[in-house]
Amino acid sequence: MYLRQKGFLRRKTYIVGADLYLENYIVCRNLEGCKYTEGPGKFQTSELFNPLSLDRNLDLNCSIVHSIVEPGKNIAPHLVKNPEIHYILEGQGLLYIDGIPVEIRPDQLIYIPASSVQDTYNTGNTTDFRS
């Protein structure tokens, strides 16, 4: 279930909800509608937004992904093609961007540049790391 809101554009009223595209203007995705895949190292990930997977040009080139990493586990090093933005919801850990360590904590935003190698570690012991 998701909330619907009224959107107004050019004197027309629209209902805005999950997976709705409004005249190439609004993209709205809900996490509950996304498919998760499980990767090596006991983590789950779901792509919320990737402009390369849309059939239109949004003048954006960054991805937004929801990830869950179990305590003591990690996301293996991998190359990101386009920039990524991580917003940390809960947990603690370390994120390496091209070998540079960044401490992870809740309510933190991290920008990862395109063509960089990243790997993520959940260093907490009780709470799943979610971003």
Side-chain angles (χ1 to χ4, degrees):
M1 185 168 139
Y2 57 88
L3 297 176
R4 292 185 177 166
Q5 298 177 347
K6 286 186 179 180
F8 302 95
L9 180 67
R10 297 187 192 108
R11 297 185 189 186
K12 293 181 182 179
T13 302
Y14 300 90
I15 301 297
V16 179
D19 297 315
L20 175 73
Y21 304 96
L22 176 61
E23 293 185 22
N24 292 331
Y25 185 68
I26 295 173
V27 175
C28 183
R29 302 278 320 265
N30 288 334
L31 187 57
E32 62 197 29
C34 296
K35 288 177 53 177
Y36 281 89
T37 57
E38 189 157 329
K42 296 259 184 175
F43 75 92
Q44 297 175 32
T45 187
S46 179
E47 188 174 79
L48 286 167
F49 178 82
N50 184 336
L52 300 176
S53 66
L54 297 175
D55 192 23
R56 60 197 172 120
N57 184 5
L58 293 178
D59 289 331
L60 292 172
N61 68 345
C62 66
S63 295
I64 300 174
V65 175
H66 184 255
S67 299
I68 301 171
V69 182
E70 293 182 18
K73 303 299 180 184
N74 72 297
I75 299 175
H78 60 283
L79 179 72
V80 294
K81 293 180 183 176
N82 53 320
E84 290 184 358
I85 297 172
H86 289 214
Y87 180 76
I88 310 306
L89 298 171
E90 62 184 66
Q92 59 188 11
L94 281 172
L95 169 66
Y96 289 88
I97 304 170
D98 286 335
I100 301 168
V102 177
E103 286 189 43
I104 295 172
R105 63 184 186 288
D107 297 325
Q108 181 181 40
L109 181 92
I110 303 168
Y111 172 82
I112 301 171
S115 302
S116 61
V117 175
Q118 73 165 7
D119 53 323
T120 307
Y121 295 83
N122 181 349
T123 59
N125 54 13
T126 58
T127 305
D128 285 352
F129 167 75
R130 295 175 182 264
S131 68

